[in-house]
Amino acid sequence: MLHPHVSDHQTLAKPVAHKSNDLDKLFRMRTINETHDPKLTSWVASANDVQTDFAIQNLPYCCFAKGDGHDLRIGVGIGDQILDLTVCGESGLLPDWANEAVATRSLNALMGLGPDARMTLRRRISQLLSPACRDLQDHPAAAIALVAQSAVEFHLPCHVGDYSDFYASIHHATNVGGMMRPDNPLLPNYKYIPIGYHGRASSLIISGTEVRRPVGQLPPKAEGGKPDFGASQSLDYELEVGVFVAQGNALGDSIPLSRADDCLFGICLVNDWSARDIQRWEYQPLGPFLAKSFATTLSPWVVTFEALVPFRCPLEARPAGDPQPLPYLSHSADSKMGGLDLNLEVLIRTAQMRVANMAAQRVSSGNFRSMYWTLAQMLTHHASNGCNLQPGDLLASGTVSGPARESRGCLLELTWDGEPGKTVPATQRTPLQFPTGEQRTFLQDGDEVILRGWCEASGYRRIGVGECRGRIKPPKNPSK
């Protein structure tokens, strides 16, 4: 068991009651501190590069292995290096209460710490990496405490006990609904409830892992015909943001929206690969199943909510006439600061482009602030029936799409010629064009999809979420 106290005088934070007018300040003001100072630099030179994702103001967590890959360790990204927290803990450079957590082979124990403890650890790591602090620089462990990111093998950051995927972009839901129901794109429940389904945790894979094209039942070629069985011909990516649960709730309990932020640890990028033809045949009446369970790729970095504080923003106002959320999904603090100003982009590099040494081509870009439901609302709704969430559980946002065509977060939408209020058949599409002369409506074998994300705000240092990569491989036994 982890020691239940940060120190003799500081207990790990438990949810406390706050007056409504105080909660408005918590998202930003309670955690803006010296670790967010844009003037802060590091003695790790690469962290001071203005282009780096991992400035000292970020400090994202990861799980990695050196050498033979069996000795998993916990680290923090700093420039092009990783600070090995396992080494720091063994060397007495971290608070005693944190040593057991960083000695484990995943981030679950750290995720289970309270928000005060998480901020205390962030402050200490920032201090160790600051030029004025000599604690690590002059320590004998300094020679092994830093390791190049290029020299390690990344692993999933934690044991994900459960994975749930949401459908939180109204632009995505409207586009997809418009393909199937042009006159009624959104079903009546969408504006009242964060729609989601339980995904498959066992097929979560780390960025860089190749993805095999799935096989399955394909829709009949003619009305009333029989389905075929074979390789998916409509393989797609989905640009999503994942959030890891920190402190959870006991079975039968719920998590009020006023407490939800304390129960969110950090974000990563998620590519929820989707076989659209398999999905089209199987989704009624129970929704996604084999079309999505074959692989879901995660980026290796977990950017904490402590690092994201300067980039919190108001939730986009609901259009006139839309219903307001039910009381359990409504809170002024979440409305004012529950959004996240996170830039996102998707790039594709085909096999021919790799042979020709061409760079990946950006195909879309958008921003997470356009979502209809906040991450906190998703978590609160998930736990509202008494479902017990646990440290390390993963919630994904669903495809992040914006109002413009170039901000659509999957090929199903991006190549479709329709738009809200315009009746266009689902088959009316304009393929993407690549510099090799190739076209894409859906992914082909050899295609690599790259997701990227970063936050910027006036008065603060840019921080990034890193990359989420995956390359398509041919299927095994495609017709058996």
Side-chain angles (χ1 to χ4, degrees):
M1 292 287 292
L2 290 173
H3 198 285
H5 295 87
V6 174
S7 67
D8 291 341
H9 62 278
Q10 183 182 22
T11 304
L12 290 185
K14 296 180 180 179
V16 295
H18 294 275
K19 295 181 180 179
S20 178
N21 59 355
D22 291 334
L23 280 166
D24 293 348
K25 303 176 183 178
L26 291 183
F27 285 92
R28 184 179 296 269
M29 298 310 296
R30 80 174 168 186
T31 51
I32 286 287
N33 56 43
E34 71 280 2
T35 69
H36 304 102
D37 185 347
K39 297 180 181 178
L40 191 63
T41 60
S42 174
W43 53 269
V44 180
S46 58
N48 303 320
D49 186 334
V50 294
Q51 298 298 320
T52 185
D53 275 353
F54 307 133
I56 194 171
Q57 291 82 359
N58 191 347
L59 305 179
Y61 289 103
C62 67
C63 185
F64 70 99
K66 299 184 286 187
D68 59 12
H70 296 299
D71 184 19
L72 298 188
R73 313 179 78 79
I74 292 173
V76 162
I78 182 71
D80 60 7
Q81 303 290 302
I82 298 173
L83 177 65
D84 189 331
L85 292 187
T86 306
V87 168
C88 292
E90 292 170 349
S91 303
L93 293 170
L94 301 178
D96 290 343
W97 53 265
N99 290 339
E100 188 174 342
V102 300
T104 61
R105 300 168 71 88
S106 76
L107 288 171
N108 294 80
L110 278 179
M111 290 174 171
L113 297 177
D116 285 356
R118 298 197 298 267
M119 181 56 80
T120 298
L121 184 56
R122 172 180 167 82
R123 279 190 163 108
R124 178 53 176 163
I125 295 169
S126 177
Q127 182 186 46
L128 288 175
L129 292 168
S130 300
C133 178
R134 306 299 304 183
D135 292 356
L136 175 57
Q137 295 182 71
D138 294 340
H139 198 283
I144 58 172
L146 285 178
V147 56
Q149 294 173 22
S150 59
V152 308
E153 178 183 280
F154 289 103
H155 290 254
L156 290 176
C158 63
H159 169 71
V160 180
D162 286 292
Y163 159 50
S164 299
D165 197 13
F166 283 83
Y167 197 50
S169 167
I170 195 169
H171 304 292
H172 173 65
T174 301
N175 288 333
V176 174
M179 297 176 202
M180 298 179 286
R181 301 178 301 275
D183 298 327
N184 186 30
L186 287 181
L187 295 175
N189 63 348
Y190 186 85
K191 295 180 180 180
Y192 286 97
I193 184 172
I195 302 295
Y197 70 95
H198 292 290
R200 183 74 185 175
S202 67
S203 54
L204 296 174
I205 55 177
I206 197 66
S207 176
T209 307
E210 293 184 315
V211 176
R212 284 210 177 266
R213 181 177 297 273
V215 298
Q217 284 199 25
L218 308 176
K221 292 184 173 66
E223 185 77 22
K226 292 183 179 180
D228 292 327
F229 184 84
S232 170
Q233 300 303 304
S234 302
L235 185 56
D236 201 356
Y237 63 83
E238 288 193 355
L239 167 64
E240 304 194 18
V241 172
V243 59
F244 289 99
V245 175
Q247 294 172 306
N249 58 302
L251 183 65
D253 289 346
S254 60
I255 300 175
L257 191 58
S258 61
R259 275 189 49 213
D261 245 45
D262 284 350
C263 299
L264 298 174
F265 181 80
I267 65 168
C268 67
L269 298 175
V270 175
N271 188 340
D272 185 33
W273 305 95
S274 299
R276 300 301 188 185
D277 39 10
I278 297 174
Q279 183 179 7
R280 188 168 68 251
W281 176 240
E282 73 175 6
Y283 84 98
Q284 294 181 352
L286 292 181
F289 186 42
L290 300 185
K292 290 175 173 285
S293 63
F294 60 95
T296 301
T297 303
L298 307 185
S299 58
W301 303 101
V302 183
V303 177
T304 67
F305 273 81
E306 288 75 31
L308 292 170
V309 170
F311 311 103
R312 304 299 292 272
C313 63
L315 178 64
E316 287 197 349
R318 292 193 168 198
D322 277 16
Q324 292 305 303
L326 296 179
Y328 80 103
L329 290 174
S330 180
H331 198 286
S332 61
D334 191 58
S335 298
K336 292 179 180 179
M337 299 304 297
L340 180 61
D341 191 358
L342 171 65
N343 298 294
L344 297 163
E345 66 178 11
V346 180
L347 303 94
I348 294 178
R349 193 182 193 199
T350 71
Q352 285 190 36
M353 292 169 70
R354 272 195 307 279
V355 171
N357 200 29
M358 294 179 178
Q361 175 176 304
R362 186 172 75 175
V363 298
S364 70
S365 60
N367 193 292
F368 194 69
R369 69 186 305 160
S370 68
M371 302 300 279
Y372 197 76
W373 298 100
T374 68
L375 294 170
Q377 286 174 318
M378 294 178 221
L379 180 134
T380 288
H381 179 67
H382 201 317
S384 63
N385 69 339
C387 173
N388 54 323
L389 304 179
Q390 302 177 32
D393 283 357
L394 177 67
L395 311 183
S397 64
T399 303
V400 182
S401 292
R405 183 163 184 166
E406 59 269 19
S407 62
R408 296 176 180 178
C410 63
L411 289 175
L412 180 69
E413 295 175 82
L414 191 58
T415 63
W416 181 54
D417 293 332
E419 58 187 51
K422 180 181 177 182
T423 302
V424 172
T427 54
Q428 185 172 320
R429 297 179 171 275
T430 300
L432 298 182
Q433 306 290 327
F434 291 89
T436 53
E438 299 172 276
Q439 297 183 335
R440 291 290 186 272
T441 303
F442 290 105
L443 297 171
Q444 295 187 12
D445 293 346
D447 289 349
E448 183 178 30
V449 179
I450 305 163
L451 312 181
R452 292 176 180 161
W454 67 96
C455 295
E456 294 177 303
S458 177
Y460 293 97
R461 181 69 188 272
R462 174 194 183 276
I463 66 172
V465 192
E467 292 186 341
C468 181
R469 291 175 173 260
R471 187 187 301 180
I472 306 302
K473 291 182 67 176
K476 289 184 177 180
N477 304 321
S479 60
K480 294 183 181 180

